[in-house]
Amino acid sequence: MSNELETQPEAGVIALVGGVLTDVQVLIKQQLALFQHQIKRELSHALEPGVFVAIGLSAVVIGGVLLGGMLVHFLSWIAPVLPLWGYYGIVGIPVAALGGILCLVGIRKFKNFDIPSVEPAQELKEKV
């Protein structure tokens, strides 16, 4: 009878540990599924505005190229002193300089960009 008392607590502890491990596995699977769902939801929210921004930027680029060419030909018509390539330089150099400055500002802002912490991963660490 004393043997039965010793084996029952060990069996109970093993079953308890097994249940805890099963619960941890289920919790990890649920947290990963939640994280995946949140990522998909955020991407779907960003997709529609991203398409409009891409189409808008392409229209701005095309319009900018046409307006730049128009400005070059307008300058050559008003003051026909330089060859046409000179007017392209007069228009192109400030535009390229402005673009370079904007790129440098954007790079600096990206370097200072702080990625927000991922909440599901933190919750998972706390629960485990």
Side-chain angles (χ1 to χ4, degrees), residues 3-122:
N3 287 342
E4 291 178 18
L5 292 176
E6 291 177 12
T7 57
Q8 287 178 351
E10 289 176 6
V13 170
I14 292 173
L16 184 63
V17 170
V20 168
L21 290 177
T22 302
D23 290 344
V24 167
Q25 288 175 341
V26 168
L27 180 64
I28 289 173
K29 288 178 184 177
Q30 288 174 346
Q31 288 294 325
L32 291 176
L34 174 66
F35 182 64
Q36 183 180 16
H37 176 71
Q38 287 176 341
I39 294 290
K40 285 181 181 179
R41 187 182 66 202
E42 292 298 323
L43 286 177
S44 68
H45 286 296
L47 183 63
E48 184 179 354
V51 169
F52 282 107
V53 168
I55 292 170
L57 282 176
S58 62
V60 166
V61 167
I62 292 170
V65 168
L66 292 174
L67 286 173
M70 181 195 74
L71 181 61
V72 166
H73 287 281
F74 181 70
L75 288 176
S76 72
W77 177 69
I78 286 183
V81 178
L82 295 175
L84 193 58
W85 60 265
Y87 293 107
Y88 275 104
I90 290 171
V91 172
I93 290 172
V95 171
L98 177 65
I101 291 169
L102 291 174
C103 285
L104 289 175
V105 168
I107 289 170
R108 286 187 182 158
K109 288 194 178 278
F110 269 121
K111 286 182 181 178
N112 295 332
F113 183 70
D114 186 28
I115 298 174
S117 63
V118 180
E119 294 174 7
Q122 185 65 28

